[in-house]
């Protein structure tokens, strides 16, 4: 081990939206004995890491930002990655978080130490921090998923995962193969399609795609928001309310999503005149089952003469080509994996060890489970942001993060008043909560819509990622702490 062990009251893991928001609100509440651990060299989490061309958010910026740190001068309706990252950088400075940050500090191991009721956190570099509370803000989409396609190790060209895009990547005049056609792929394919000599897009399942109503926000509007913050709040509220209206079509009955279904079909028909290509792009499952994508330039990119949409399953990858089930072999110099993340396995094996030496990855091997997406039985004094079943298929996750931050602040205040040394959610309370959640999810489009998705756990088939209701219901749920649901141990 290198250096002496640092002692802190709170350690936050991750400096993305969750970690930065949590640290800011803790400081505002007068709690400053904390540290923010970030494995990357800069802040922003997903917005630091995902730098592929065209990366942007598909939630309008006025809602995809903290309610307590409004930015009146967003340049576009849907801000690009760099602007979101800069916004988070600004939040770090504005709230005075810089001294709390430890960058390039990758948590390798986190062990609950029953004897002193603290977490011992060890970095990949061997440094150690002892903290009474750990707040995990690692996000559900931080571990890239590499497809287990036969021969992928034999590929001799360049392989890049969309999350690990290298700015030096030279694609001009190259033969490029993209595997995957999800939210990331539809953003970068239009950016690279015109540059390359040949682009083969390997699609396993077509997506429902809606037009992306992006536009630059004029400076007079930015000045209005600056002068009248209530106006920006009103706009934010309007965006949130509109997004909430999607819940009935996702949870109650998919028939109610008829408007979006019609819009998506019209979008495909208008943008793809070629009937053969259009039929390949037509989804055969309910809209909303997979995340609905927003793009106005993906279909036109697929229509370019140098682009081919391949919907045959991939049989194997060779040293310089991809072979599909129909026996066709398409040469490639570059392979880009847009194959998503290990969303249902957010924590690596051996990383988090709770009470009685329990490993969190092992405990969750049939699917992650938590209480209110925040506390896990067997893991005292650990809180999670965007834990199990708190991702969204219809609205901004920042709304969920803020509800969790308020809940954690409320809990920390209560624990302090009770002179508690530790708190742990009871198994029965966690089980009761999850029975309720899974009951709500059973009839939803995500479970019954006839598609596979990263929302469902591959082993159990359970939906362990999404919140199955309106976000206002989650906010209401998080407003109070049911203290009887926790075992509190006092420090006396
Ligand atoms: P994704 O949505 O999980 O898409 C992965 C793609 O790879 C899918 O098309 C999938 O096909 C395909 N795939 C996976 N394994 C494969 C295999 N072995 N062979 C062939 N194809 C394979 O991943 P993503 O596009 O990176 O997006 C993940 C999530 O990140 C999104 O759902 C969203 O929540 C978030 N995101 C958000 C934004 C934003 O604007 N806010 C932008 C990018 C990403 P199947 O569909 O058949 O599984």
């Amino acid at each position: 081990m290198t250096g002496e062990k640092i002692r802190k009251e709170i350690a936050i893991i991750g400096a993305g939206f969750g970690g930065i928001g949590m640290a800011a609100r803790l400081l505002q509440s007068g709690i400053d004995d904390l540290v923010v651990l970030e494995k990357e060299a800069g802040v922003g989490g997903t917005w630091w890491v995902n730098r592929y061309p065209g990366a942007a958010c598909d939630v309008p910026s006025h809602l995809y930002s903290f309610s307590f740190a409004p930015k009146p001068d967003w340049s576009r309706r849907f801000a690009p990655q760099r602007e979101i990252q800069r916004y988070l950088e600004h939040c770090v400075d504005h709230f005075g978080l810089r001294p709390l940050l430890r960058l390039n500090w990758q948590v390798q191991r986190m062990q609950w130490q029953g004897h002193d009721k603290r977490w011992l956190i060890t970095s990949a570099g061997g440094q150690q921090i002892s903290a009474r509370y750990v707040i995990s803000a690692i996000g559900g989409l931080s571990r890239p998923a590499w497809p287990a396609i036969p021969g992928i190790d034999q590929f001799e060209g360049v392989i890049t995962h969309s999350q690990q895009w290298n700015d030096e990547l030279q694609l001009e005049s190259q033969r490029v193969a993209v595997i995957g056609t999800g939210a990331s792929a539809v953003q970068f394919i239009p950016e690279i399609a015109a540059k390359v000599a040949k682009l083969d897009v390997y699609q396993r399942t077509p997506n429902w795609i809606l037009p992306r109503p992006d536009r630059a926000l004029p400076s007079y509007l930015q000045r209005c928001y600056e002068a009248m913050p209530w106006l920006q709040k009103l706009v934010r509220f309007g965006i949130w309310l509109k997004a909430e209206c999607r819940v009935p079509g996702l949870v109650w009955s998919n028939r109610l999503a008829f408007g979006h279904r019609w819009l998506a079909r019209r979008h495909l028909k208008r943008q793809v005149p070629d009937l053969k290509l259009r039929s390949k792009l037509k989804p055969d499952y309910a809209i909303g089952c997979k995340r609905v994508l927003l793009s106005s330039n993906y279909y036109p990119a697929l229509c370019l003469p140098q682009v081919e949409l391949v919907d045959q399953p991939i049989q194997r990858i060779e040293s310089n080509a991809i072979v599909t089930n129909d026996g066709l072999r398409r040469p490639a110099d570059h392979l880009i994996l847009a194959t998503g993340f290990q969303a249902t396995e957010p924590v690596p094996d051996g990383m988090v060890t709770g009470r009685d030496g329990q490993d969190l990855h092992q405990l969750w091997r049939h699917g992650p489970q938590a209480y209110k997406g925040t506390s896990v039985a067997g893991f005292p004094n650990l809180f999670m942001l965007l834990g199990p079943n708190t991702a969204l298929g219809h609205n901004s996750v920042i709304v969920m993060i803020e509800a969790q931050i308020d809940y954690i602040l409320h809990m920390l205040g209560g624990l302090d008043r009770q002179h508690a040394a530790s708190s742990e959610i009871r198994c029965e309370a966690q089980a009761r909560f999850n029975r309720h959640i899974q009951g709500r999810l059973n009839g939803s489009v995500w479970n019954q819509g006839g598609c596979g998705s990263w929302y469902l756990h591959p082993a159990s088939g359970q939906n362990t990622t999404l919140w199955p209701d309106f976000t206002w219901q989650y906010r209401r749920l998080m407003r109070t702490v049911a203290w009887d649901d926790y075992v509190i141990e006092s420090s006396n």
Side-chain angles (χ1 to χ4, degrees):
M1 298 295 154
T2 57
E4 63 186 82
K5 198 192 297 173
I6 299 167
R7 277 175 81 85
K8 289 282 171 190
E9 189 65 7
I10 299 171
I12 297 172
I13 304 178
F17 262 100
I20 291 173
M22 187 77 238
R25 299 277 283 110
L26 280 165
L27 283 193
Q28 282 181 336
S29 319
I31 302 170
D32 61 0
D33 187 12
L34 60 115
V35 64
V36 182
L37 309 174
E38 168 56 56
K39 67 179 166 50
E40 300 295 331
V43 301
T46 200
W47 299 104
W48 170 269
V49 176
N50 284 280
R51 290 154 180 249
Y52 56 78
C57 188
D58 56 12
V59 176
S61 312
H62 286 299
L63 186 60
Y64 196 78
S65 45
F66 296 122
S67 63
F68 55 86
K71 173 174 153 62
D73 60 346
W74 285 111
S75 68
R76 306 193 65 80
R77 185 152 190 256
F78 298 98
Q81 170 262 335
R82 272 179 212 283
E83 191 174 1
I84 302 173
Q85 198 273 329
R86 277 202 305 269
Y87 165 76
L88 288 168
E89 200 87 54
H90 161 80
C91 289
V92 165
D93 291 323
H94 178 76
F95 292 104
L97 308 182
R98 201 65 69 185
L100 310 176
L101 277 175
R102 299 275 186 288
L103 299 176
N104 296 310
W105 212 101
Q106 174 154 18
V107 174
Q108 192 168 52
R109 215 170 151 63
M110 227 174 84
Q111 296 154 283
W112 174 248
Q113 313 241 286
H115 61 276
D116 65 351
K117 301 205 171 19
R118 295 178 75 88
W119 284 96
L120 179 65
I121 310 165
T122 308
S123 77
Q127 291 158 303
Q128 291 197 316
I129 290 177
S130 160
R132 175 155 318 280
Y133 297 104
V134 169
I135 301 172
S136 165
I138 60 173
L141 302 174
S142 59
R143 303 177 67 212
W146 283 67
I149 301 173
I152 192 163
D153 298 339
Q154 264 90 61
F155 187 72
E156 286 172 4
V158 182
I159 304 191
T160 311
H161 190 281
S162 62
Q163 193 224 33
Q164 297 156 343
W165 200 280
N166 181 347
D167 292 339
E168 324 270 277
L169 207 61
Q170 292 296 331
L171 298 176
E172 280 77 7
S173 317
Q174 299 284 306
R175 294 169 303 182
V176 179
V178 173
I179 300 180
T181 52
S184 303
V186 302
Q187 290 188 338
F188 70 73
I189 285 173
E191 302 295 321
I192 64 170
K195 295 180 192 163
V196 301
K198 177 85 182 23
L199 178 62
D200 297 321
V201 177
Y202 291 86
Q203 168 190 277
R204 196 164 62 176
T205 316
N207 283 288
W208 287 95
I209 303 182
L210 291 171
R212 188 162 185 267
D214 191 20
R215 64 191 161 88
L217 297 176
S219 54
Y220 78 85
L221 205 54
Q222 298 175 353
R223 285 197 301 277
C224 282
Y225 293 146
E226 181 95 57
M228 297 177 280
W230 59 266
L231 184 63
Q232 191 181 354
K233 269 192 195 150
L234 196 67
V235 169
R236 182 185 168 94
F237 177 75
I239 299 168
W240 170 79
L241 195 62
K242 193 170 163 215
E244 287 289 81
C245 295
R246 297 179 189 139
V247 171
L250 297 168
V251 181
W252 302 351
S253 164
N254 198 245
R255 280 196 217 137
L256 299 170
F258 61 90
H260 281 149
R261 199 163 32 241
W262 175 80
L263 207 59
R265 283 188 181 142
R266 191 185 65 162
H267 186 48
L268 175 61
K269 202 169 163 188
R270 279 190 174 173
Q271 291 204 320
V272 183
D274 177 2
L275 292 181
K276 197 165 161 227
L277 177 59
R278 199 191 292 168
S279 77
K280 286 184 185 177
L281 289 164
K282 217 178 235 167
D284 63 354
Y285 55 88
I287 188 165
C289 182
K290 281 176 183 291
R291 187 185 166 98
V292 176
L293 308 182
L294 300 187
S295 175
S296 299
N297 56 3
Y298 174 63
Y299 287 148
L302 294 182
C303 297
L304 293 173
Q306 68 275 32
V307 181
E308 184 183 356
L309 182 73
V310 183
D311 66 347
Q312 279 288 319
I314 299 172
Q315 191 193 72
R316 63 176 189 280
I317 296 179
E318 295 180 347
S319 61
N320 60 354
I322 297 188
V323 182
T324 42
N325 272 358
D326 54 5
L328 278 182
R329 186 178 177 282
R330 293 178 179 82
D333 310 306
H334 283 259
L335 177 52
I336 303 177
L337 304 174
T339 43
F341 302 90
Q342 302 178 49
T344 51
E345 291 193 350
V347 180
D349 198 9
M351 180 178 162
V352 183
T353 314
R355 188 169 45 77
D356 306 326
Q358 204 168 192
D359 181 82
L360 189 55
H361 175 91
Q362 289 301 326
L363 181 72
W364 280 356
R365 65 191 180 282
H366 299 299
Q369 220 191 70
Y371 170 81
K372 298 186 178 180
T374 307
S375 313
V376 184
F379 295 79
N381 289 9
L382 172 67
F383 298 106
M384 291 180 179
L385 297 173
L386 291 186
N389 291 106
T390 58
L392 294 177
H394 75 284
N395 210 328
S396 170
V397 286
I398 309 301
V399 175
M400 304 298 273
I401 289 176
E402 287 197 23
Q404 290 166 346
I405 290 175
D406 287 344
Y407 181 82
I408 294 170
L409 288 174
H410 194 150
M411 271 212 77
L412 291 175
L415 291 169
D416 189 44
R417 281 191 295 280
Q418 296 172 59
H419 304 290
S422 73
S423 73
E424 183 186 332
I425 191 66
R426 294 179 193 276
C427 280
E428 341 46 291
Q430 183 173 308
R432 191 178 63 232
F433 177 80
N434 280 283
R435 272 197 303 276
H436 169 72
I437 291 283
Q438 293 303 327
R440 295 287 299 157
L441 283 163
N442 266 343
S444 73
V445 70
W446 306 301
N447 286 30
Q448 305 293 340
C451 78
S453 73
W454 61 261
Y455 300 150
L456 307 178
H457 193 274
S460 64
Q462 279 205 334
N463 189 327
T464 57
T465 50
L466 289 185
W467 172 248
D469 253 312
F470 296 97
T471 60
W472 62 262
Q473 284 174 308
Y474 187 68
R475 286 169 63 142
R476 194 177 59 180
L477 176 78
M478 298 302 271
R479 217 166 275 155
T480 49
V481 176
W483 289 106
D484 289 346
D485 285 347
Y486 287 87
V487 178
I488 311 287
E489 285 192 24
S490 122
S491 50
N492 304 325

